[in-house]
């Protein structure tokens, strides 16, 4: 359950809302669940569920996975 | 709590629930259902009328009707007036007919602004001019504001067809051609509804298809049959409802190539966010057709040369197997069934 | 060779008989849409768990929402709720009867509606698992308007999974990636400890394939652990801020699941300090008088075999209601309500 | 207070206010208004469609449309389904056409009871069978309950006419024939409205007129012209609106004999009580026609021999003077003008 | 020879130049419907007086009714009121804007509506002459529901007639038979005393013809009296019970007449003891805040020549607004509002 | 002004309302303005304005008028 979709912050609206672009569709997103810990700036990729950012997407981690995959393959 | 057997929004959504209502409550209660080759039972885009004995012509008469109830009345890319003309022009066109004239019956609530009514009529006019149809007779009713809150426009249309195109004419080997991207109309409307408020440059695709399809409809085999074997406009219920209906009625199978189905990125994203299936979203300026394989390239070229057909694509083909089923080849190469929608596509979170 | 093809090849190379359950509608969506089951070796079975928070909402909660709506209150909810059946009708039918029921994309849209109608009461039907609950917690912490309250029907994944394990037939689990984005993967350690390989996965076709591959690998090694195949989104400890917010607004409580019965500690209820926004308390009178009038005839619901189906013990067509009383248009159990439910898919795709 | 230019109930009442709306807001904004001899500008009961060049026939095609919005849905003598079929059958008939087929587009609110919908469809069926027309294609839309509170049925119709009957064909000396009593439909509905609560055995006259008029339409002069020179069905706006329209369009005068106009005593009483003019009250099973004088008795006899024409009467004649005016000879022998109604007939106390 | 023909013959035999005014819409209806003017000798002119209680209702009262409706109150009224113009719109347009305005045949139907909506306020817009006022008095005396009140705009005939006499051109009057059924014919004695023949008449063609004949006879004899040509319904002293009821509920007061200005003692207002059902008092706040916002631009209304037309001093096409700003679809003065008004008939039947 | 129409009482409903027939149309009529002075019984002809009986119709008086007419005629 829990459809969530990645988007990119295009503009900060106030201390806890931002406009977020989802590949051609923009919507206001609530940042309450991710503010504080990290720097929230335009350009940041976030994961959005029911209008709330629930996680910041880390591209570094993504790369790591594809390495894991390669490793698994090399195992054979 | 007592449960009554009542109408819900699902009954008008173009899916299985609507089919149930129509076949049980409507078809089941009407005795004279035909006045020509194609009648009420066929649930095609329109019907044909047999000519009196002394007519002597190679043409057939086609008629069709639709009531239009869209909200908001004005949306990116169109309005209810444009929609009302296109809806009927397109139903005639996908029956193989040249649209000739429309009727226009307006039901409007008291309190409706006259200026807005005139804007709507002007839009109907522009679209009718583009589609080269006349609006020849009409009706105007006003009803109290507590009984209707806006405007409803019915257009019925009449056209002449040298060769009727049914929606049950698919044969194995036919190519399936879609005239452009899917979901633009439905998603552009949904974006503006209360509770969603999406910003997008996406526009409805509402447009009259008669000019786009005119030349393709003229292509015939040496024995005078149309190169197009079946056609529908995928409106309510989207591509999924139309292609399933064509497949079931034709007693064939259809295999679609998911990667070949044209779809805009904004439509894809909005569908992802709302848990919607883009194949179930309404279109108002698209046709889906079966074409004899030897003419597919010619038809595609004709479509590509027209402004409304730039994104046209061959999206699949008809097969003798899988009778009554539409299968979708997914990007990983698997085949999965594309089912008839149940009811209204409802935005989801899970 | 595409990433998916590579993953598939690796899976085929490591294939072994295994029954894998996911517990997330969005995973089912990926699996169905890509037709993954058709390309996996037959011996690898993918089952759907109780992964739709809407579908497991019990009949009583739907009835309460309808009773509130009938008293003139504006009910806001996610679109998914509209078709879920109550004892005599669903929310869509209630709206057809004249109730003011509005679908929203986000609780923030419900707040907007409450602000636009200050003289009316607005209730948000707050359903969802751990992913959704924090958004509702955040809203309550921001002091919503006085005329706004929550009818909560939140559910927690791990207690329900634990309940299924009881007499299950499942070998391994795909953990729900978006739930884990909030909770982290720690709450799933217990399943590894009980001997079940478990991997938190993302929602692209290759995410799901990767998790299957990792489960096969665990199974081959006989070393069940909890792994994270979705590190770009899921952190080991999850979203701590969201967890804190949830903990400051909700207490854990027993909860009823449609088709599964009551499961200990599997739900959330609002803490006392939020009583002013707890629809069950604010509108106590409406609910009490509705309850007086209602006696549940549970005959049909009692015949539902959802629990056994979810445990992998039964197939849908062994249910006496399947395809007759219970169809996608007139669903009874959660397995037929949900588009990812086993009964729904069995009905839709097997052409009964 | 600011005044907006908004629609009121008057705009749909069939009188001068409605004519203003139609000619300014609708006709004034539509460019292609004709596809045959009779088009939108003619504001006749329907329109004609010219045939493609290779058609070869003495028939003409007639189409018409009406949306039906009556309250209550079921009333003494009929219901919205019967009305929807009769309305369109009658418009085709008074154009001189043989009705062949109808379209049926239903817009229904969520929450509507399915059983009632089925009753309505069954009534449409019964009436269609009586009128020997088929219902060949349709459309079903559902809309939210807060936007519409009931059901709206559009029927459009197609028919074939050997000789088109216009509403502008009156010539001096023609006799004016009315096929029965006036006001039955409007008064029977009004009696059941909130705030009136009259008890009466009066029933709506709603009925299909094609059978009644079939034989009369076949009477021709030696040079093949129809014995009937002009015809309308006096629906909204009543006898007064129809006969005024015919008189104005034909550029003649008409003198009606008040004592010859058939009217039931209950209709007369209700009109007295409510300050209404029975000539402005709607009918749904009557035709008003001009007949060449030498055929008037023959037509009258044909009408009298049919169950729907028992009360038919010659109520006046066409004159060359008083151009554009309808004069009524009152019981005391005076002539007074019978004017086009302004708007909705509103119950009055003074 | 029919009764009408006999009467007509007698009238022709006694014909003389005379200008007769009736003061009743229903008389105008009879006269128009039968085309009486066309069969009378030219020298006998029949004029319409201010005989439509709806049409003389001033702009301000319509505006107040609309202001009440806009505040959410249910306004009930006779159908005739719907088209009477206020300063910016009429009740029909207000209803089109969403106001809850319902037409009734009788005040009893308005009471039924009030009982059916106990939680809403219902106002009956009480207009009418002496015929109608007693029905409203009777209702108030029967203790109507608390949520029910009257917006009264009653008018009395004799004071208005007296006002017209001022500089009039009229020779004789037909007195309104249904008004006389309540008041008797005594109140019309004063006109005879002033030298005007006056006859109370019924509403069939022969009733009206008879009254004309009697007026001609009085005129010939030069002996103006008040006569009763409608004895089957009108008693000399009228309906005493109705008069008592009226007197116990209403006080006589000055009143404004559309097109005529304020006329002394020509209206009725509710006595203090009925304050609980006096809409102007009950809904004082709504009316006060509406009055604050409104400034009347009376330019057009000021140009209206109704007063002179009613006095027989002017013809409609001398009014600068006639046929341009003022038409049956956009009426300004009472003579155009009313279907029996001179301007209305001039416009409709003379095809300007 | 003041449309009124004659009708015949067909049935008394309570002390102040009756069903009245107007030539084929029946309606409830309020008798408040005529009760008391005379016997109100079915068959009585009354004059009704906005749902209220405002006068009892006297057939005797009506006859008298037609006599007056004759007299006037005879005068000539
Ligand atoms: S078919 Fe319906 S009732 Fe039976 S197990 Fe499935 S959901 Fe439950
Ligand atoms: S035309 Fe209009 S404004 Fe002029 S006098 Fe007549 S009613 Fe008054
Ligand atoms: Mg179609
Ligand atoms: Mg159609
Ligand atoms: Mg269509
Ligand atoms: Mg087709
Ligand atoms: Mg019409
Ligand atoms: Mg007509
Ligand atoms: Mg028509
Ligand atoms: Mg019609
Ligand atoms: Mg005609
Ligand atoms: Mg349709």
């Amino acid at each position: 359950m829990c459809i969530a979709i990645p988007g990119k912050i295009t503009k900060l609206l106030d201390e806890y809302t931002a406009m977020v672009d989802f590949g051609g569709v923009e919507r206001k997103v609530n940042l309450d669940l991710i503010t504080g810990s990290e720097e929230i700036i335009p350009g940041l990729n976030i994961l959005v569920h029911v209008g709330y950012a629930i996680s910041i997407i880390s591209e570094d981690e993504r790369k790591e996975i594809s390495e894991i995959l390669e490793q698994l393959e090399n195992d054979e | 709590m007592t449960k009554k057997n009542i109408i819900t929004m699902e009954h008008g959504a173009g899916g299985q629930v609507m089919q149930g209502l129509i076949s049980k409550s409507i078809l089941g209660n009407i005795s004279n259902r035909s006045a020509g080759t194609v009648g009420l039972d066929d649930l095609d885009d329109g019907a044909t009328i047999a000519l009196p004995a002394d007519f002597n012509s190679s043409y057939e008469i086609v008629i069709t009707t639709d009531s239009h109830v869209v909200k908001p009345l004005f949306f990116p890319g169109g309005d209810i007036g444009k929609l009302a003309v296109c809806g009927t022009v397109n139903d005639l066109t996908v029956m193989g007919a040249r649209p000739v004239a429309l009727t226009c019956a307006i039901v409007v609530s008291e309190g409706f602004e006259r200026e807005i009514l005139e804007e709507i009529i002007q839009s109907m006019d522009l679209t009718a001019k583009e589609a080269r149809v006349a609006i020849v007779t009409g009706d105007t009713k006003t009803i109290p504001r507590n009984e209707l809150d806006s405007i409803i426009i019915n257009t019925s249309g009449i056209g002449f067809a040298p060769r009727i195109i049914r929606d049950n004419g698919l044969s194995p080997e036919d190519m399936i051609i879609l005239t452009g991207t899917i979901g633009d109309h439905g998603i552009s409307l949904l974006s503006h509804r209360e509770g969603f408020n999406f910003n997008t440059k996406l526009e409805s695709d509402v447009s009259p298809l008669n000019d786009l399809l005119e030349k393709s409809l003229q292509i015939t085999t040496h024995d005078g049959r149309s190169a197009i074997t079946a056609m529908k406009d995928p409106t309510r219920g989207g591509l999924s409802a139309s292609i399933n209906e064509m497949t079931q009625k034709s007693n064939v199978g259809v295999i679609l190539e998911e990667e070949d189905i044209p779809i805009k990125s904004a439509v894809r994203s909005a569908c992802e966010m709302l848990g919607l299936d883009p194949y179930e979203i309404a279109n108002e300026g698209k046709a889906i057709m079966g074409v004899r394989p030897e003419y597919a390239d010619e038809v595609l070229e004709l479509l590509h040369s027209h402004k409304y057909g730039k994104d046209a694509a061959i999206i699949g083909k008809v097969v003798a197997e899988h009778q009554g089923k539409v299968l979708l080849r997914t990007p990983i190469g698997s085949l999965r069934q594309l089912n008839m929608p149940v009811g209204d596509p409802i935005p989801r979170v899970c | 060779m595409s990433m998916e093809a590579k993953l598939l090849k690796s899976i085929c190379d490591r294939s072994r008989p295994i029954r894998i359950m996911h517990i997330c509608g969005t995973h089912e969506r990926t699996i169905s849409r890509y037709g993954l089951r058709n390309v996996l070796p037959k011996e690898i079975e993918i089952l759907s768990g109780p992964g739709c928070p809407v579908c497991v909402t019990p009949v009583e909660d739907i009835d309460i929402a309808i009773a509130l709506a009938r008293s003139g209150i504006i009910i806001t909810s996610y679109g998914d709720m509209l078709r879920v059946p109550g004892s005599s009708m669903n929310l869509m039918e209630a709206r057809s009867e004249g109730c003011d029921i509005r679908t929203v994309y986000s609780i923030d849209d419900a707040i907007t509606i409450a602000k636009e109608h200050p003289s009316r009461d607005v209730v948000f039907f707050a359903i969802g698992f751990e992913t959704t609950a924090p958004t509702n917690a955040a809203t309550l912490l921001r002091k919503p308007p006085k005329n706004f309250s929550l009818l909560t029907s939140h559910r927690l994944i791990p207690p329900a999974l634990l309940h299924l394990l009881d007499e299950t037939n499942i070998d391994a689990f795909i953990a729900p990636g978006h739930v884990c984005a909030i909770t982290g993967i720690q709450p799933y350690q217990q399943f590894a400890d009980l001997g079940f390989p478990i991997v938190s996965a993302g929602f692209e076709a290759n995410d799901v394939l990767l998790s299957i591959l990792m489960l096969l690998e665990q199974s081959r090694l006989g070393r069940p652990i909890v792994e994270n195949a979705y590190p770009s989104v899921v952190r080991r400890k999850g979203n701590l801020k969201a967890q804190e917010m949830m903990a400051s607004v909700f207490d854990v409580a027993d909860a009823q699941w449609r088709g599964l019965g009551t499961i200990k500690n599997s739900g959330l209820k609002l803490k006392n300090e939020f009583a002013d926004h707890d629809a069950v308390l604010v509108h106590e009178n409406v609910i009490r008088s509705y309850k007086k009038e209602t006696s549940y005839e549970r005959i049909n619901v009692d015949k539902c075999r959802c629990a056994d189906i979810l445990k992998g013990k039964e197939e849908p067509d062994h249910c006496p209601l399947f395809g007759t009383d219970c169809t996608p248009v007139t669903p009874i159990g959660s397995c037929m309500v949900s588009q990812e439910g086993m009964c729904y898919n069995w009905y839709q795709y097997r052409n009964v």
Side-chain angles (χ1 to χ4, degrees), chain A, chain B, chain C:
Chain A
M1 70 118 233
C2 311
I3 288 176
I5 174 173
K8 194 186 283 300
I9 295 181
T10 56
K11 197 181 162 186
L12 294 169
L13 300 174
D14 58 34
E15 89 276 21
Y16 72 104
T17 52
M19 283 309 287
V20 175
D21 175 59
F22 304 90
V25 181
E26 267 197 339
R27 199 193 191 274
K28 212 165 94 177
V29 164
N30 187 311
L31 307 176
D32 262 345
L33 302 179
I34 60 163
T35 50
S37 52
E38 293 186 54
E39 184 94 324
I40 312 283
I41 49 165
L44 189 70
N45 287 309
I46 54 178
L47 188 74
V48 176
H49 168 65
V50 296
Y52 280 69
I54 59 167
S55 180
I56 292 166
I57 298 173
S58 145
E59 292 306 325
D60 301 353
E61 303 279 0
R62 193 190 291 286
K63 264 172 220 142
E64 227 171 280
I65 267 293
S66 61
E67 280 156 30
I68 291 175
L69 226 184
E70 263 166 51
Q71 215 180 314
L72 257 171
E73 262 168 55
N74 295 342
D75 277 9
E76 276 157 279
Chain B
M1 299 194 190
T2 55
K3 173 155 183 157
K4 275 193 214 152
N5 200 349
I6 57 177
I7 302 290
T8 69
M9 292 301 292
E10 310 265 271
H11 286 107
Q16 294 177 25
V17 178
M18 178 167 116
Q19 285 188 336
L21 176 76
I22 290 177
S23 63
K24 184 153 171 282
S25 294
I26 300 183
L27 298 192
N29 283 315
I30 293 182
S31 313
N32 302 340
R33 296 186 300 269
S34 167
T37 328
V38 184
L40 197 58
D41 290 341
D42 298 300
L43 296 175
D44 206 325
D45 304 277
T48 66
I49 304 295
L51 297 162
D54 80 331
F55 275 74
N56 176 2
S57 165
S58 59
Y59 283 87
E60 290 190 60
I61 297 176
V62 177
I63 62 173
T64 188
T65 191
D66 265 305
S67 290
H68 301 271
V69 295
V70 71
K71 282 277 177 74
L73 298 177
F74 295 83
F75 47 82
D79 56 73
I80 189 173
K82 184 173 184 184
L83 191 63
V85 172
C86 292
T88 293
V89 162
N90 293 349
D91 274 338
L92 292 174
T93 304
V94 298
M95 292 290 291
R98 178 176 56 82
V100 171
L102 305 184
T103 64
C104 167
I106 294 174
V107 182
V108 60
S109 74
E110 49 171 3
F112 198 85
E113 282 182 50
R114 204 158 150 169
E115 212 170 279
I116 295 180
L117 176 64
E118 290 182 8
E119 260 183 79
I120 291 170
I121 305 287
Q122 284 154 11
S123 171
M124 292 187 77
D125 182 45
L126 264 181
T127 315
K129 275 199 278 195
E130 179 186 345
R132 287 164 285 130
V133 290
I135 296 172
V136 296
T137 188
D139 178 47
T140 312
K141 297 271 162 39
T142 55
I143 66 178
R145 198 189 171 102
N146 58 345
E147 295 173 14
L148 174 71
D149 80 330
S150 181
I151 187 170
I152 297 178
I153 302 181
N154 176 281
T155 50
S156 298
I158 181 166
F160 299 110
R163 289 165 296 280
I164 297 288
I165 311 288
R166 299 285 302 271
D167 55 11
N168 65 358
L170 295 179
S171 301
E173 301 308 317
D174 286 355
M175 302 306 267
I176 303 294
I177 294 182
L178 178 65
T179 63
T181 56
I182 55 165
D184 303 26
H185 177 72
I187 293 298
S188 109
L189 282 183
L190 195 68
S191 302
H192 287 75
R193 295 256 169 85
E194 183 198 56
F196 298 107
N197 302 313
F198 291 174
N199 278 345
T200 162
K201 293 207 182 91
L202 192 69
E203 293 198 342
S204 164
D205 60 347
V206 57
S207 37
L209 295 177
N210 53 335
D211 195 63
L212 170 69
L213 293 170
E214 189 171 31
K215 295 214 184 80
S216 302
L217 281 167
Q218 285 162 5
I219 309 174
T220 52
T221 63
H222 59 90
D223 56 347
R225 288 172 306 141
S226 180
I228 298 173
T229 56
M231 180 148 61
K232 285 197 95 64
D233 56 333
T235 55
R236 282 180 293 175
L239 174 64
S240 174
S242 290
I243 189 67
N244 267 291
E245 215 176 316
M246 291 164 83
T247 304
Q248 284 162 20
K249 287 178 178 175
S250 306
N251 256 317
V252 294
V254 160
I255 296 180
L256 299 182
E257 303 296 326
E258 188 156 28
E259 290 186 311
D260 296 337
I261 299 177
I263 174 163
K264 295 205 173 93
S265 111
V267 171
R268 198 184 294 281
S269 298
C271 284
E272 285 298 321
M273 288 170 80
L274 299 173
L276 296 173
D277 183 342
Y279 306 127
E280 298 188 1
I281 306 293
N283 311 278
E284 290 292 348
K286 298 290 149 46
I288 175 88
M289 63 183 97
V291 178
R292 294 181 205 283
E294 59 275 31
Y295 299 100
D297 289 338
E298 187 181 348
V299 168
L300 198 62
E301 209 168 294
L302 282 170
L303 295 173
H304 282 159
S305 68
H306 194 283
K307 63 177 168 176
Y308 294 144
K310 294 221 176 314
D311 297 321
I314 296 174
I315 63 164
K317 63 187 271 188
V318 182
V319 294
E321 315 81 60
H322 309 294
Q323 272 202 7
K325 286 190 185 163
V326 179
L327 301 179
L328 202 62
R329 196 182 320 276
T330 74
I332 64 161
S334 176
L335 280 181
R336 64 119 166 156
Q337 197 176 342
L338 179 69
N339 251 66
M340 188 79 179
V342 174
D344 223 4
I346 289 183
R348 304 168 58 214
V349 299
C350 63
Chain C
M1 210 184 195
S2 73
M3 180 85 81
E4 286 87 354
K6 283 183 200 164
L7 282 163
L8 256 178
K9 189 178 168 298
S10 297
I11 287 171
C12 292
D13 292 346
R14 286 171 176 73
S15 177
R16 45 173 36 226
I18 189 168
R19 289 167 63 86
I20 300 172
M21 176 179 271
H22 68 77
I23 326 107
C24 183
T26 311
H27 276 145
E28 181 61 34
R29 209 159 158 246
T30 306
I31 292 163
S32 300
R33 275 180 9 169
Y34 286 91
L36 289 187
R37 286 190 182 88
N38 297 342
V39 290
L40 289 171
K42 277 263 167 299
E43 59 193 350
I44 302 179
E45 280 182 75
I46 313 283
L47 305 168
S48 280
C52 167
V54 165
C55 314
V56 300
T57 305
V59 170
E60 283 84 346
D61 288 8
I62 308 285
D63 284 357
I64 288 173
I66 292 172
L68 293 173
R70 283 184 165 179
S71 80
I73 295 168
I74 300 176
I75 299 291
T76 55
S77 91
Y78 301 128
D80 327 40
M81 292 305 303
L82 290 188
R83 284 205 195 92
V84 185
S87 63
S88 68
M89 67 176 65
N90 61 30
L91 286 169
M92 187 177 286
E93 287 160 333
R95 193 181 62 185
S96 302
E97 279 199 351
C99 291
D100 194 343
I101 293 167
R102 311 189 186 186
T103 57
V104 292
Y105 171 63
S106 169
I107 186 172
D108 287 3
D109 304 320
I111 293 284
T112 304
I113 291 171
K115 286 182 180 159
E116 282 168 3
H117 299 84
S119 66
R120 294 186 61 189
D121 285 319
V122 175
V123 167
F124 179 66
F125 196 174
I127 56 89
F129 291 137
E130 294 92 331
T131 331
T132 318
T135 70
N136 299 331
T139 300
L140 286 191
L141 293 170
R142 277 203 179 275
K143 298 213 176 302
K146 280 197 183 128
N147 61 328
F148 179 83
S149 61
L150 292 186
L151 176 63
T152 61
S153 191
H154 288 299
R155 296 290 177 275
L156 302 174
I157 288 285
L161 263 199
L162 216 51
H163 175 86
L164 290 182
L165 289 188
D166 194 10
E167 18 170 3
T168 192
N169 211 345
I170 311 289
D171 300 314
F173 290 101
I174 300 175
H178 295 147
V179 169
C180 293
I182 300 292
T183 63
I185 57 171
Q186 278 171 322
Y188 297 88
Q189 181 62 45
Q190 55 187 316
F191 300 101
D193 295 348
L194 288 168
F196 296 93
I198 184 160
V199 174
S200 156
F203 298 88
E204 297 298 318
N206 54 16
D207 287 330
V208 174
L209 289 172
L210 175 64
S211 69
I212 294 171
L213 184 59
M214 289 165 79
L215 290 172
L216 284 173
E217 188 69 7
Q218 284 194 36
S219 170
R220 182 177 68 86
L221 298 171
R223 209 180 48 198
I225 53 169
V226 53
E227 279 185 294
N228 181 7
Y230 195 26
S232 63
V233 157
V234 175
R235 314 289 178 281
R236 173 152 274 278
K237 300 201 164 171
N239 182 333
L240 292 175
K241 190 176 179 208
Q243 290 172 31
E244 271 164 38
M245 284 177 154
M246 231 194 317
S248 62
V249 170
F250 295 110
D251 285 328
V252 170
D254 298 351
Q256 209 197 319
W257 295 57
R258 183 185 295 253
L260 294 178
T262 301
I263 302 179
K264 225 177 147 48
N265 289 332
S266 68
L268 296 174
K269 65 168 201 225
L270 283 170
K271 284 181 189 291
N272 281 344
E273 41 198 298
F274 298 97
D276 286 354
H277 297 289
D278 188 341
V280 174
L281 300 175
V282 175
H283 302 294
E284 207 186 344
N285 288 341
V286 176
I287 294 171
R288 191 184 309 124
S289 72
Y290 143 75
K291 282 203 167 149
K292 230 182 260 165
E293 291 165 7
T294 311
S295 76
Y296 284 97
E297 291 181 31
R298 304 295 303 279
I299 305 154
N300 267 348
V301 179
D302 285 347
K303 287 191 194 143
C304 173
R305 295 285 181 87
C306 271
D308 289 339
I309 288 167
L310 286 170
K311 288 172 186 164
K313 288 166 63 182
E314 271 295 15
E315 289 193 334
D317 47 10
H318 289 136
C319 169
L321 305 177
F322 180 77
T324 54
D325 291 13
C326 185
T327 70
V329 177
T330 57
I332 288 171
S334 66
C335 300
M336 190 65 96
V337 175
S338 168
Q339 288 181 42
E340 68 240 16
M342 188 100 97
C343 296
Y344 179 94
N345 285 292
W346 207 271
Y347 185 92
Q348 280 286 74
Y349 298 96
R350 308 232 175 168
N351 281 327
V352 179

